[in-house]
Amino acid sequence: DWGNKMQLAINRLSSSIPEFCASHWLLRIPLAVVFIQQGLSKLPITVDDGAAFDLPYLVWWFVVYGELGSGLGLLVAAFLSLKALSHMPMLSELSDMLTRFSGFTICSIMTGVIWISQPESFVDVILYDNLHVFLWVGGLYFALRGNGA
């Protein structure tokens, strides 16, 4: 029957496409590069730079080092999870926690960025602040999936 032949053809096609188990790098690298670049662009940290966003120096300090740390954390955690290093005790768990913490930090920073822009509504954020929403969702992905991504 035609339906079974179509199902068989789809299954054959689907099984012939190789799985790309390293696909997390396609999201991890650009997200890390954006955050590292943003953090580096804020160095040296000054009170005036934070004040431009109505942020106290301590909050600004956490933003800058949070951007640098989360970007570097995503990359370091991925390298620590490579199979060549998998024989080392607790390294897998440590790298997973580092990925999740980096993702959480990205979400926290992006929430602050969106909040500081004082959008009129949630719809405005979704429609007009695409970059920050995508960065927030990327952070959320790694915070929830860890190295299981």
Side-chain angles (χ1 to χ4, degrees), residues 8-134:
L8 184 62
I10 290 172
N11 288 345
R12 201 174 307 135
L13 176 64
S14 176
S15 64
S16 68
I17 299 172
E19 184 176 331
F20 182 53
C21 63
S23 60
H24 66 94
W25 288 101
L26 298 175
L27 181 58
R28 191 180 294 260
I29 291 173
L31 191 60
V33 167
V34 165
F35 272 80
I36 292 168
Q37 183 272 324
Q38 285 298 308
L40 289 173
S41 73
K42 293 174 178 72
L43 293 175
I45 303 170
T46 65
V47 173
D48 294 335
D49 289 341
F53 295 100
D54 289 329
L55 294 174
Y57 178 76
L58 183 62
V59 173
W60 187 245
W61 186 91
F62 275 108
V63 167
V64 174
Y65 286 110
E67 288 174 343
L68 287 169
S70 62
L72 292 170
L74 281 179
L75 296 177
V76 168
F79 284 114
L80 291 177
S81 68
L82 293 174
K83 289 186 181 181
L85 301 174
S86 64
H87 67 282
M88 298 176 78
M90 295 193 326
L91 196 58
S92 175
E93 292 82 2
L94 179 65
S95 66
D96 184 69
M97 288 183 355
L98 182 56
T99 294
R100 290 175 189 271
F101 183 73
S102 296
F104 177 79
T105 302
I106 288 169
C107 285
S108 299
I109 291 170
M110 291 293 60
T111 299
V113 168
I114 293 167
W115 190 359
I116 284 176
S117 71
Q118 299 178 351
E120 293 194 20
S121 69
F122 179 71
V123 173
D124 281 350
V125 173
I126 300 301
L127 292 177
Y128 305 116
D129 202 3
N130 300 339
L131 173 65
H132 296 130
V133 170
F134 281 127

